[in-house]
Amino acid sequence: MSTGSENGSDFRLYKGGDPRYLPAYPVELAAHLLLLPKSTLKAWVFGATWKPKGMPLRFFEPVIDPPDRSEQMLSFVNLVEAHVLKAVRRKHLVHMIKVRDAIEHLKDEFATQHPLADVDLLAGGKDLFLQEHGQLLNLTMGKQIAMEFLTVYLNRIDRDLGRAVKLYPFVVQPLRIGNEVIDQDSRVIAIDPYVSYGRPVINGTGIPTDEIAERFWGGDSIDELVEAFGRTKTEIEFALRYEKAQVSQTAA
């Protein structure tokens, strides 16, 4: 697990600020990293307005607090919050009003503006989570299955004293088989705010996935990349699949 103390707790490279909270990701890039539509992520963080035909103007209030709304940039903490929201909102179609209520409750209870990133929601065990925040899981698929999906997403966050310090974005989405949820994706790719300025890398290294993809698209074979970067074939292939998924998300 990567922590601030392991990577220089004085944060001199970041002008004294904790890199977890610094603006580092433009909306479009953040949406690509999380495999989310840009419009969805932008609404979650910066709000949105629209006018249905024959209806008054409507406004969607943001649910994630960025470092500075005028910059249109997200922090690593915001990435983690959006990752959790994706599990709750998009995968399970939970009404946003229930999500807002739960977030506000967590903010008050744990005294943080970023509870989805700064609070380990599973620390008290699944039963405790269901008891205290069950309103998030009142779903047609059933609470047990919903909890399994949410657990898969939450378990892709490494924490230090409860705070998120590393995110393993999905390359392959989790799969439901009957009453079981399978995480098909090993944690090969990581986003660590203390490594390579928060770019996606092969976990445990400082090798950005986009550098591997650029070499591959430039003509290098996978075997050549294995030799050049000193990593396994599986790691190289996961890096390429992740970058390809981002390109596919852009084209969608």
Side-chain angles (χ1 to χ4, degrees), residues 39-72:
S39 59
T40 297
L41 182 60
K42 189 172 183 180
W44 287 352
V45 183
F46 300 103
T49 58
W50 73 99
K51 190 179 187 306
K53 187 175 180 180
M55 301 286 289
L57 186 69
R58 296 185 177 182
F59 180 67
F60 180 89
E61 290 281 352
V63 292
I64 294 175
D65 294 319
D68 184 342
R69 295 196 188 280
S70 65
E71 290 187 11
Q72 296 284 297

Side-chain angles (χ1 to χ4, degrees), residues 113-128:
Q113 284 298 109
H114 307 280
L116 298 183
D118 288 344
V119 178
D120 186 351
L121 298 177
L122 296 178
K126 296 181 182 180
D127 292 338
L128 179 62

Side-chain angles (χ1 to χ4, degrees), residues 145-244:
I145 297 299
M147 191 65 216
E148 291 299 322
F149 262 111
L150 186 58
T151 300
V152 166
Y153 271 77
L154 294 176
N155 282 338
R156 297 188 73 83
I157 304 168
D158 273 356
R159 297 183 180 276
D160 180 25
L161 300 177
R163 304 183 316 154
V165 294
K166 186 186 290 188
L167 174 65
Y168 301 94
F170 283 108
V171 178
V172 181
Q173 295 292 341
L175 177 67
R176 176 185 174 185
I177 301 178
N179 290 329
E180 187 176 4
V181 179
I182 307 296
D183 187 350
Q184 310 173 79
D185 194 344
S186 58
R187 297 169 186 176
V188 175
I189 309 304
I191 299 175
D192 185 330
Y194 307 102
V195 175
S196 294
Y197 295 96
R199 296 162 69 187
V201 297
I202 291 178
N203 189 32
T205 79
I207 303 172
T209 56
D210 58 1
E211 290 187 9
I212 295 172
E214 287 173 5
R215 292 275 296 268
F216 179 74
W217 292 327
D220 285 6
S221 68
I222 289 180
D223 288 339
E224 288 172 329
L225 293 171
V226 167
E227 182 176 357
F229 289 101
R231 308 310 303 176
T232 67
K233 184 176 180 180
T234 296
E235 289 174 319
I236 296 298
E237 289 177 340
F238 261 86
L240 294 175
R241 290 176 72 182
Y242 180 60
E243 289 295 322
K244 182 179 179 180

Side-chain angles (χ1 to χ4, degrees), residues 57-103:
L57 186 69
R58 296 185 177 182
F59 180 67
F60 180 89
E61 290 281 352
V63 292
I64 294 175
D65 294 319
D68 184 342
R69 295 196 188 280
S70 65
E71 290 187 11
Q72 296 284 297
M73 298 277 284
L74 280 71
S75 67
F76 168 78
V77 162
N78 297 150
L79 288 187
V80 175
E81 292 174 293
H83 169 82
V84 177
L85 272 180
K86 179 181 178 181
V88 173
R89 184 70 179 105
R90 290 181 58 80
K91 292 298 178 183
H92 305 321
L93 304 180
V94 181
H95 290 301
M96 184 56 79
I97 189 170
K98 293 184 178 180
V99 175
R100 292 183 191 278
D101 288 346
I103 290 175

